[in-house]
Amino acid sequence: MTNAHARESRYARQHALRGFGLAGQEKLAAARVLIVGAGGLGSPASLYLAAAGVGGITLVDADVVEESNLHRQLLYTTPDVGRGKLDAAGDRLQSLNPHVRLQMHETRLTAANARDLVRQHDLVIDATDNFPARYAINDACIALGRPFVYGSVARFQGQVSVFAAPGGPCYRCLFPDPPPAGTVPTCAEEGVLGVVPGIVGLHQATEAIKWLAGIGTPLVGQLMLLDLLDNDTRYIGVAPRADCPACGDDVRSGNATILANHRGRRSAADHTPPIVMTYDPDILPTALAASLASGDALTVLDVREQWEYDTANIAGSVLLPLSELARGSATLDRQAAYVALCHHGMRSEMAAGWLRQNGFTNVRNLVGGIDAYSVTVDPSLPRY
């Protein structure tokens, strides 16, 4: 069997897809994808992109396979424990599809090397597990005009979106700055159900295939929230921000990782007004406690889930889970003052940003969430 016949047989079910066909397959074959991280998200993403026939795949990782990886990183098997992840991944992916051109970079992506790694690729998959790498990916993709598929997981939940696409938001439109070190627990600290990164990684692979083949509607401007424990999927709109420090109209001076000449990449049809803040968008637990004690007119908006609220909450706070924010915000006064709160401060930062984008004029985020509030203000609140 010739190579051409072998490839035709391998991808026959994709060729049969109406709207995809040989044209879509050829686009995948010509594409080059950078996958940053060969762990829980990178495993399913790389396996399915290789199986689908993406022509060039580059993996970036510097870890070795550990036994604790195996419940979720199905790129590896028990005999791989102790091997470098890229060595094991290369063998598995090449065995799965010998037609894929693989490149391996046994290093960690940083702000210093991000652009060099991103430059030769058409799309990036963010399969990282740390914020410095995620922000470095975002800034490099903005600078080089490459989209990236974002994914993250925790416990039973996951998130997926496509950032830095033409006319769409970037990651900093949602989270302008990284959270303080130590305020967001890792999967090692709070756990993750093994299938969760598998499902999120598959969504990332799907978004990559759609983008590269030019089919379907990509998750640009949409953050997909998955809660597998409750079998719930929600979408939150994310608009480009005129004041975004990476892709907005007034790129902040002095930020060495962002190129000001990428201001113009936003769609000319986007007339989202700038968000003008006359207050600090963050508030510390001690400052919130003092404000509540003095009787200031503000509402603590708790965006956690019901079970979390039942475990620990600030008296008088209003529960509005992040998954219900778009619908539930219709009952809120857009001129009132709010402090958004979650477990460690990330979901609430997302909620605060979304509320500001949708006309709420005074929303702050509680730094460190209720966990920090328990440590610094009220030790009677249970930590979980």
Coordinates of all heavy atoms in Angstrom, one line a residue, residues 171-223:
Y171 N -6.3 36.7 26.7 CA -6.4 36.2 28.1 C -6.4 37.3 29.1 O -7.1 37.3 30.1 CB -5.3 35.2 28.4 CG -5.4 34.5 29.7 CD1 -6.4 33.6 30.0 CD2 -4.5 34.8 30.7 CE1 -6.5 33.0 31.2 CE2 -4.6 34.2 32.0 CZ -5.6 33.3 32.2 OH -5.6 32.7 33.5
R172 N -5.6 38.4 28.8 CA -5.5 39.5 29.7 C -6.8 40.4 29.6 O -7.0 41.2 30.6 CB -4.3 40.4 29.4 CG -3.0 39.7 29.8 CD -1.8 40.7 29.5 NE -0.5 40.1 29.8 CZ 0.2 40.2 30.9 NH1 -0.4 40.8 31.9 NH2 1.3 39.6 31.0
C173 N -7.6 40.2 28.6 CA -8.9 40.9 28.7 C -9.8 40.4 29.8 O -10.6 41.1 30.4 CB -9.6 40.7 27.3 SG -8.9 41.6 25.9
L174 N -9.6 39.1 30.1 CA -10.3 38.5 31.2 C -9.6 38.6 32.5 O -10.2 39.0 33.5 CB -10.5 37.0 30.8 CG -11.5 36.2 31.7 CD1 -12.9 36.8 31.8 CD2 -11.5 34.7 31.3
F175 N -8.3 38.3 32.5 CA -7.4 38.4 33.7 C -6.2 39.3 33.4 O -5.2 38.8 32.9 CB -7.0 37.0 34.1 CG -8.1 36.0 34.5 CD1 -8.2 34.8 33.7 CD2 -9.0 36.3 35.5 CE1 -9.2 33.9 34.0 CE2 -10.0 35.4 35.8 CZ -10.1 34.2 35.0
P176 N -6.3 40.6 33.7 CA -5.2 41.5 33.3 C -3.9 41.1 33.8 O -2.9 41.3 33.1 CB -5.7 42.8 33.8 CG -7.2 42.7 33.9 CD -7.5 41.3 34.2
D177 N -3.8 40.6 35.1 CA -2.5 40.3 35.7 C -2.6 39.0 36.4 O -3.7 38.5 36.9 CB -2.2 41.4 36.7 CG -2.1 42.8 36.1 OD1 -1.2 42.9 35.2 OD2 -2.8 43.7 36.4
P178 N -1.5 38.3 36.5 CA -1.4 37.0 37.3 C -1.9 37.2 38.7 O -1.6 38.3 39.3 CB 0.0 36.6 37.2 CG 0.6 37.4 36.0 CD -0.1 38.7 36.0
P179 N -2.5 36.2 39.3 CA -2.8 36.3 40.7 C -1.5 36.2 41.6 O -0.5 35.7 41.1 CB -3.7 35.0 41.0 CG -3.2 34.1 40.0 CD -2.8 34.9 38.7
P180 N -1.6 36.8 42.8 CA -0.4 36.7 43.7 C 0.0 35.2 43.9 O -0.8 34.3 44.0 CB -0.9 37.3 45.0 CG -2.0 38.2 44.6 CD -2.7 37.5 43.4
A181 N 1.3 35.0 43.9 CA 1.8 33.7 44.1 C 1.3 33.0 45.3 O 1.2 33.6 46.4 CB 3.4 33.7 44.2
G182 N 0.9 31.8 45.2 CA 0.3 31.0 46.3 C -1.1 31.2 46.6 O -1.7 30.5 47.5
T183 N -1.8 32.0 45.9 CA -3.2 32.3 46.2 C -4.1 31.3 45.5 O -5.3 31.2 45.8 CB -3.6 33.7 45.8 OG1 -3.4 33.9 44.4 CG2 -2.9 34.7 46.6
V184 N -3.6 30.6 44.4 CA -4.5 29.7 43.7 C -3.9 28.3 43.9 O -2.7 28.0 43.5 CB -4.5 30.0 42.2 CG1 -5.4 29.0 41.4 CG2 -5.1 31.4 42.0
P185 N -4.6 27.3 44.5 CA -4.0 26.0 44.7 C -3.8 25.2 43.4 O -4.5 25.5 42.4 CB -5.1 25.3 45.6 CG -6.4 26.0 45.2 CD -6.0 27.5 44.9
T186 N -2.9 24.3 43.4 CA -2.6 23.5 42.2 C -3.5 22.3 42.3 O -4.1 22.0 43.3 CB -1.1 23.1 42.2 OG1 -0.9 22.2 43.4 CG2 -0.2 24.3 42.3
C187 N -3.5 21.5 41.2 CA -4.2 20.2 41.2 C -3.7 19.3 42.2 O -4.4 18.5 42.8 CB -4.1 19.6 39.8 SG -5.2 20.4 38.6
A188 N -2.4 19.4 42.5 CA -1.8 18.5 43.5 C -2.4 18.8 44.9 O -2.5 18.0 45.8 CB -0.3 18.6 43.5
E189 N -2.7 20.1 45.1 CA -3.2 20.5 46.4 C -4.7 20.3 46.5 O -5.2 19.9 47.6 CB -2.9 22.0 46.6 CG -1.4 22.3 46.7 CD -1.1 23.8 46.6 OE1 -1.9 24.5 46.0 OE2 -0.1 24.2 47.2
E190 N -5.5 20.5 45.5 CA -6.9 20.4 45.6 C -7.5 19.2 44.8 O -8.7 18.9 45.0 CB -7.7 21.7 45.3 CG -7.6 22.1 43.8 CD -8.4 23.3 43.5 OE1 -9.0 23.8 44.5 OE2 -8.4 23.8 42.4
G191 N -6.7 18.5 44.1 CA -7.1 17.3 43.4 C -7.8 17.6 42.0 O -8.3 18.7 41.8
V192 N -7.9 16.6 41.2 CA -8.7 16.7 40.0 C -9.1 15.3 39.6 O -8.3 14.3 39.7 CB -7.8 17.3 38.8 CG1 -6.6 16.5 38.5 CG2 -8.7 17.5 37.6
L193 N -10.4 15.1 39.2 CA -10.9 13.8 38.7 C -10.2 13.6 37.3 O -10.1 14.4 36.5 CB -12.4 13.9 38.5 CG -13.1 12.6 38.2 CD1 -13.0 11.6 39.3 CD2 -14.5 12.8 37.8
G194 N -9.7 12.4 37.2 CA -8.9 12.1 36.0 C -9.5 12.4 34.7 O -8.8 12.8 33.7
V195 N -10.8 12.2 34.5 CA -11.5 12.4 33.2 C -11.6 13.9 32.9 O -11.8 14.2 31.7 CB -12.9 11.7 33.2 CG1 -12.7 10.2 33.4 CG2 -13.8 12.3 34.2
V196 N -11.5 14.8 33.9 CA -11.8 16.2 33.6 C -10.7 16.8 32.7 O -11.1 17.4 31.6 CB -11.8 17.0 34.9 CG1 -12.0 18.5 34.6 CG2 -13.0 16.5 35.8
P197 N -9.4 16.6 32.9 CA -8.5 17.1 31.9 C -8.6 16.4 30.6 O -8.3 17.0 29.5 CB -7.1 16.9 32.5 CG -7.3 15.9 33.6 CD -8.7 16.1 34.1
G198 N -9.0 15.1 30.6 CA -9.2 14.4 29.3 C -10.3 15.1 28.5 O -10.1 15.3 27.3
I199 N -11.4 15.4 29.1 CA -12.5 16.1 28.4 C -12.1 17.5 28.0 O -12.4 17.9 26.8 CB -13.8 16.1 29.3 CG1 -14.3 14.6 29.4 CG2 -14.9 17.0 28.7 CD1 -15.4 14.5 30.4
V200 N -11.5 18.2 28.8 CA -11.1 19.6 28.5 C -10.0 19.6 27.4 O -10.1 20.3 26.4 CB -10.5 20.3 29.7 CG1 -9.9 21.7 29.3 CG2 -11.7 20.6 30.7
G201 N -9.1 18.6 27.4 CA -8.1 18.5 26.4 C -8.7 18.1 25.0 O -8.2 18.6 24.0
L202 N -9.8 17.3 25.1 CA -10.4 17.0 23.8 C -11.2 18.2 23.3 O -11.2 18.4 22.0 CB -11.5 15.9 24.1 CG -10.9 14.5 24.4 CD1 -12.0 13.5 24.6 CD2 -10.0 14.0 23.3
H203 N -11.7 19.0 24.1 CA -12.3 20.3 23.6 C -11.3 21.2 23.0 O -11.5 21.8 22.0 CB -13.0 21.0 24.8 CG -14.4 20.5 25.0 ND1 -15.5 20.7 24.2 CD2 -14.9 19.8 26.1 CE1 -16.6 20.2 24.7 NE2 -16.3 19.6 25.8
Q204 N -10.1 21.2 23.6 CA -9.0 22.0 23.0 C -8.6 21.5 21.7 O -8.4 22.3 20.7 CB -7.8 22.0 24.0 CG -8.0 22.8 25.2 CD -6.8 22.9 26.1 OE1 -6.5 21.9 26.8 NE2 -6.0 24.0 26.1
A205 N -8.5 20.2 21.5 CA -8.2 19.6 20.2 C -9.2 19.9 19.2 O -8.9 20.2 18.1 CB -8.0 18.1 20.4
T206 N -10.5 19.8 19.6 CA -11.6 20.1 18.7 C -11.5 21.6 18.2 O -11.7 21.8 17.0 CB -13.0 19.9 19.4 OG1 -13.0 18.5 19.9 CG2 -14.1 20.2 18.5
E207 N -11.3 22.5 19.2 CA -11.2 23.9 18.8 C -10.0 24.1 17.8 O -10.1 24.9 16.9 CB -11.0 24.8 20.0 CG -12.3 24.9 20.9 CD -13.5 25.4 20.1 OE1 -13.4 26.4 19.4 OE2 -14.5 24.7 20.1
A208 N -8.9 23.4 18.1 CA -7.8 23.6 17.2 C -8.1 23.0 15.8 O -7.8 23.7 14.8 CB -6.6 22.8 17.7
I209 N -8.7 21.9 15.7 CA -9.1 21.3 14.4 C -10.1 22.2 13.7 O -9.9 22.5 12.4 CB -9.7 19.9 14.6 CG1 -8.6 18.9 15.0 CG2 -10.4 19.4 13.3 CD1 -9.1 17.6 15.4
K210 N -11.1 22.8 14.4 CA -12.0 23.7 13.7 C -11.3 24.9 13.2 O -11.6 25.3 12.0 CB -13.1 24.1 14.8 CG -14.1 23.0 15.1 CD -14.8 23.3 16.4 CE -15.4 24.7 16.5 NZ -16.1 24.9 17.8
W211 N -10.4 25.5 14.0 CA -9.7 26.7 13.5 C -8.8 26.4 12.3 O -8.9 27.1 11.3 CB -8.9 27.2 14.7 CG -8.2 28.5 14.3 CD1 -7.0 28.6 13.7 CD2 -8.7 29.8 14.5 NE1 -6.7 30.0 13.5 CE2 -7.7 30.7 14.0 CE3 -9.9 30.3 15.0 CZ2 -7.9 32.1 14.0 CZ3 -10.0 31.7 15.0 CH2 -9.1 32.6 14.5
L212 N -8.1 25.3 12.4 CA -7.1 25.0 11.3 C -7.8 24.6 10.0 O -7.4 25.0 8.9 CB -6.2 23.9 11.8 CG -5.3 24.2 13.0 CD1 -4.5 23.0 13.5 CD2 -4.2 25.3 12.6
A213 N -8.9 23.9 10.2 CA -9.6 23.5 9.0 C -10.6 24.5 8.5 O -11.2 24.4 7.4 CB -10.4 22.2 9.2
G214 N -10.9 25.5 9.3 CA -11.8 26.6 8.9 C -13.2 26.2 8.9 O -14.0 26.5 8.0
I215 N -13.6 25.4 9.9 CA -15.0 24.9 10.0 C -15.6 25.3 11.3 O -14.9 25.6 12.3 CB -15.1 23.3 9.8 CG1 -14.3 22.6 10.9 CG2 -14.5 22.9 8.5 CD1 -14.4 21.1 11.0
G216 N -16.9 25.3 11.3 CA -17.6 25.5 12.6 C -17.5 26.9 13.1 O -17.0 27.8 12.5
T217 N -17.9 27.0 14.4 CA -17.8 28.3 15.1 C -16.8 28.1 16.3 O -17.1 27.4 17.3 CB -19.2 28.7 15.7 OG1 -20.1 28.8 14.6 CG2 -19.1 30.1 16.4
P218 N -15.7 28.8 16.3 CA -14.7 28.6 17.3 C -15.2 29.4 18.6 O -16.0 30.3 18.5 CB -13.4 29.2 16.8 CG -13.9 30.2 15.8 CD -15.2 29.7 15.2
L219 N -14.6 29.0 19.7 CA -14.9 29.6 21.0 C -14.2 30.9 21.2 O -13.5 31.2 22.2 CB -14.6 28.7 22.2 CG -15.6 27.5 22.5 CD1 -15.0 26.6 23.5 CD2 -16.9 28.1 23.0
V220 N -14.3 31.8 20.2 CA -13.7 33.2 20.3 C -14.7 34.1 21.0 O -15.9 34.1 20.5 CB -13.4 33.7 18.9 CG1 -12.8 35.1 19.0 CG2 -12.3 32.8 18.3
G221 N -14.4 34.7 22.1 CA -15.3 35.6 22.8 C -16.3 34.8 23.7 O -17.2 35.4 24.2
Q222 N -16.0 33.5 23.8 CA -16.9 32.7 24.7 C -16.0 31.8 25.6 O -15.1 31.2 25.1 CB -17.7 31.7 23.8 CG -18.8 32.4 23.0 CD -19.9 32.9 23.8 OE1 -20.4 32.3 24.7 NE2 -20.4 34.1 23.5
L223 N -16.3 31.9 26.9 CA -15.6 31.0 27.8 C -16.5 29.9 28.2 O -17.6 30.2 28.8 CB -15.2 31.8 29.1 CG -14.5 31.0 30.2 CD1 -13.1 30.6 29.7 CD2 -14.4 31.8 31.5

